């Protein structure tokens, strides 16, 4: 269905495309007739040619490849029976390059719109947490006579800024339109929305009432139960899932393992580990990383180190988890040295450290008393990871210097920070002053 009641009055050209448009609309040139005259093609065949150009630009890596095509579509204007999907696809291309304002400008100037046009903009705003703009677009869609689809509801419900009041309104509309009982996609988004707002009872009710469930629905419910401490309930649900037609996936194991928090859960974790190995799912790096994190929370250092050695694949998350585990072994110089060795091994393996890596290594150096090594790492953050030091990195460096009595260097580092120091940095600094007997320095 195409809207005729919500057409804009004039289709303007975009200023930045003016030069291209002028070239295509120069005297004695018309894109449709010129193409038909030169190649013996009809206007419809020319539109097919445009479609091929659009498909070719779908995998483009630059915005500049999209602009001329948009200019050509604008130039054709009312001379051709221009399919609406040209504008919809160009709008999607703009959004793929993060050009939300250009996509909205195109949407506002489209001579005709359909459900896909509105869903595209609603999804874009939802991803940007622009809940008011997404909600206004939703109301505009309904005012133009369009019926919301599963994609409409899923996009809105997935918006992290959506409140429960609006979520309940969408729930009612889904029931009214029959989408709740006919589609697992929108129902799963509703379940996740309730979970995001800590409405566990409502989420459980949605799960029970959904007549159609997908594996993602099961995984979402298992993850929600585990994250709220209901480990036994999540395992019971997992057993039900294994008896169903869906089976389970690596994401299922990740959802279960993420809920295991302490030593008493180790037995369940080891059972899930065996299940992962049996099913070959330990080769999924997300599963092996979650297993490693489970052993960090529930087991001793030996099991953690063994798990890391046995991992089929390792990435930056794997190393961050292991180094973080060593950093938590407070006051042990040996663990700090081990953390540094793992960091060096990570670099030799060609895995680029990220900001989290440096926070963990600085923490290990701080508690292990490795001042020179820690400050050397801090100085090389930008070169090694291509990211600028953030507040967490400065906290670690200042605390490292203050603990070792190098207060002058700590003061200079605080003065050189590109942003104001927070309370934790000052607490570390003044804690160092107190340990040195400098009480009335400030």
């Amino acid at each position: 269905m195409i809207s005729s009641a919500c057409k804009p009055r004039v289709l303007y050209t975009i200023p930045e495309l003016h030069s291209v448009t002028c070239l295509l609309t120069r005297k004695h040139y018309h894109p449709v007739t010129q193409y038909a005259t030169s190649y013996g093609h009809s206007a419809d065949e020319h539109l097919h040619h445009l479609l091929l150009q659009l498909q070719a630009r779908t995998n483009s890596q630059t915005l500049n490849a999209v602009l001329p095509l948009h200019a050509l579509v604008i130039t054709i204007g009312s001379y051709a029976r221009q399919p609406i999907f040209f504008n919809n696809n160009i709008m999607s291309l703009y959004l793929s390059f993060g050009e939300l304002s250009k996509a909205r400008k195109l949407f506002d100037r489209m001579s005709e719109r359909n459900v896909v046009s509105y869903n595209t903009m609603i999804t874009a705003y939802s991803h940007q947490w622009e809940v008011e703009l997404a909600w206004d677009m939703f109301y505009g869609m309904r005012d133009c006579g369009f019926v919301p689809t599963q994609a409409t509801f899923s996009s809105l419900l997935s918006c992290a800024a959506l409140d429960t009041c609006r979520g309940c309104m969408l729930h009612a509309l889904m029931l009214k339109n029959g989408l709740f009982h006919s589609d697992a996609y929108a129902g799963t988004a509703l379940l996740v929305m309730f979970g995001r707002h800590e409405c566990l009872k409502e989420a459980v009710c949605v799960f029970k009432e959904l007549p159609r469930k997908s594996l993602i629905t099961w995984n979402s419910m298992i993850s929600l139960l585990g994250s709220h401490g209901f480990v036994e309930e999540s395992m019971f649900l997992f057993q039900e899932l294994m008896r169903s037609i869906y089976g389970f996936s690596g994401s299922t194991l990740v959802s279960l393992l993420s809920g295991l928090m302490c030593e008493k859960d180790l037995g369940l974790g080891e059972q899930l580990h065996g299940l992962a190995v049996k099913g070959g799912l330990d080769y999924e790096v997300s599963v092996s990383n979650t297993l490693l994190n489970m052993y960090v929370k529930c087991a001793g250092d030996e099991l953690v180190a063994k798990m890391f050695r046995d991992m089929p694949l390792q990435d930056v998350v794997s190393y961050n988890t292991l180094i973080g585990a060593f950093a938590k072994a407070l006051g042990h110089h040996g663990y700090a040295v081990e953390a540094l060795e793992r960091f060096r091994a990570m670099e030799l393996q060609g895995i680029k450290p990220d900001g989290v890596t440096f926070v963990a290594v600085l923490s290990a150096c701080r508690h292990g008393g490795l001042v020179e090594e820690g400050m050397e790492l801090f100085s090389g953050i930008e070169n090694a990871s291509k990211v600028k030091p953030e507040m967490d990195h400065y906290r670690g460096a200042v605390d490292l210097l203050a603990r070792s009595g190098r207060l002058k260097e700590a003061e200079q580092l605080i003065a050189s920070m590109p942003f104001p120091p927070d309370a934790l940095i000052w607490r570390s600094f003044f804690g160092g002053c107190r340990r040195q007997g400098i009480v009335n320095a400030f």
Side-chain angles (χ1 to χ4, degrees):
M1 178 181 178
I2 297 176
S3 168
S4 58
C6 300
K7 295 180 182 179
R9 296 179 183 176
V10 182
L11 182 67
Y12 297 99
T13 58
I14 296 178
E16 56 264 42
L17 300 179
H18 180 70
S19 58
V20 181
T21 306
C22 289
L23 177 65
L24 294 171
T25 55
R26 66 185 185 274
K27 189 176 181 181
H28 306 307
Y29 178 87
H30 184 272
V32 176
T33 56
Q34 181 73 17
Y35 185 84
T37 303
S38 301
Y39 298 98
H41 292 167
S42 66
D44 286 339
E45 288 174 321
H46 182 72
L47 291 176
H48 177 69
H49 173 72
L50 270 180
L51 178 59
L52 294 178
Q53 293 295 316
L54 181 64
Q55 291 173 337
R57 283 160 174 78
T58 300
N59 296 322
S60 173
Q61 300 299 314
T62 62
L63 178 64
N64 290 335
V66 182
L67 297 177
L69 180 63
H70 187 184
L72 185 58
V73 172
I74 290 174
T75 303
I76 292 174
S78 60
Y79 292 99
R81 297 193 305 276
Q82 180 183 330
I84 194 171
F85 54 72
F86 280 128
N87 281 325
N88 285 342
N89 279 278
I90 291 173
M91 187 162 57
S92 296
L93 286 172
Y94 277 139
L95 291 171
S96 70
F97 291 108
E99 296 289 345
L100 182 56
S101 60
K102 282 186 171 63
R104 179 58 191 261
K105 188 183 295 186
L106 172 58
F107 176 87
D108 290 338
R109 294 171 177 176
M110 285 171 65
S111 57
E112 293 177 326
R113 306 185 188 106
N114 61 9
V115 174
V116 176
S117 313
Y118 281 96
N119 282 347
T120 301
M121 289 306 304
I122 288 171
T123 301
Y125 283 131
S126 296
H127 286 169
Q128 295 294 320
W129 292 28
E130 296 284 358
V131 66
E132 296 299 333
L133 293 173
W135 198 254
D136 289 344
M137 190 69 66
F138 175 64
Y139 266 90
M141 174 187 191
R142 298 181 69 204
D143 288 343
C144 287
F146 294 114
V147 178
T149 65
Q150 60 177 18
T152 315
F153 288 109
S154 298
S155 297
L156 284 168
L157 289 166
S158 299
C159 180
L162 186 76
D163 55 64
T164 52
C165 180
R166 286 174 173 170
C168 290
M169 291 171 63
L170 293 174
H171 187 185
L173 282 172
M174 287 167 60
L175 289 169
K176 181 180 178 180
N177 294 352
L179 284 173
F180 182 81
H181 293 96
S182 64
D183 179 67
Y185 185 51
T188 303
L190 179 65
L191 185 156
V192 172
M193 184 277 297
F194 280 128
R196 191 167 60 241
H197 289 285
E198 305 295 323
C199 300
L200 185 59
K201 182 179 177 180
E202 288 78 4
V204 171
C205 288
V206 168
F207 180 81
K208 289 180 177 179
E209 292 172 4
L210 268 177
R212 295 177 181 270
K213 299 179 179 71
S214 66
L215 183 56
I216 297 175
T217 314
W218 286 88
N219 289 346
S220 300
M221 193 67 241
I222 289 171
S223 176
L224 187 57
L225 288 170
S227 64
H228 283 77
F230 296 99
V231 176
E232 292 183 6
E233 287 79 0
S234 65
M235 289 298 297
F236 177 77
L237 205 60
F238 175 60
Q239 291 169 0
E240 283 192 30
L241 174 60
M242 291 184 68
R243 291 193 294 266
S244 71
I245 61 173
Y246 302 105
F248 66 95
S249 65
S251 298
T252 314
L253 294 180
V254 169
S255 300
L256 282 165
L257 289 163
S258 299
L260 305 182
M261 298 292 181
C262 56
E263 188 176 351
K264 70 180 180 64
D265 297 328
L266 180 59
L268 288 175
E270 290 177 328
Q271 291 180 43
L272 293 172
H273 189 179
L275 198 58
V277 173
K278 183 179 179 180
L281 295 173
D282 57 325
Y283 280 85
E284 293 184 19
V285 69
S286 60
V287 175
S288 56
N289 283 337
T290 311
L291 280 166
L292 179 64
N293 191 45
M294 181 275 296
Y295 281 114
V296 169
K297 293 183 292 185
C298 304
D301 302 320
E302 292 183 6
L303 281 177
V304 173
K306 183 180 185 303
M307 175 62 206
F308 184 83
R309 288 194 303 270
D310 294 343
M311 286 176 68
L313 299 170
Q314 297 163 346
D315 63 0
V316 64
V317 177
S318 315
Y319 275 96
N320 287 350
T321 304
L322 184 66
I323 293 171
F326 288 133
K328 288 178 182 177
L330 306 181
H332 292 279
H333 178 83
Y335 284 126
V337 173
E338 183 73 16
L340 278 174
E341 289 178 356
R342 296 293 184 179
F343 178 77
R344 303 302 181 195
M346 176 184 183
E347 291 185 313
L348 290 174
Q349 198 174 330
I351 299 175
K352 187 177 291 296
D354 59 12
V356 178
T357 315
F358 284 99
V359 171
V361 179
L362 282 170
S363 178
C365 291
R366 187 169 81 242
H367 293 295
L370 304 178
V371 183
E372 298 298 335
E373 294 86 346
M375 293 311 299
E376 182 182 350
L377 284 170
F378 177 80
S379 302
I381 288 177
E382 198 163 350
N383 291 332
S385 61
K386 305 301 181 185
V387 295
K388 293 183 178 180
E390 299 177 354
M391 186 68 78
D392 284 339
H393 303 115
Y394 279 99
R395 286 174 188 154
V398 169
D399 194 41
L400 180 63
L401 292 170
R403 281 172 181 263
S404 62
R406 296 163 65 166
L407 299 175
K408 190 65 177 178
E409 293 176 62
E411 184 181 0
Q412 292 172 348
L413 181 59
I414 293 173
S416 69
M417 288 175 61
F419 35 73
D422 64 1
L424 291 177
I425 286 181
W426 285 119
R427 187 173 72 178
S428 296
F429 180 74
F430 288 125
C433 292
R434 187 172 58 253
R435 282 190 291 272
Q436 296 295 316
I438 310 174
V439 180
N440 299 316
F442 298 92

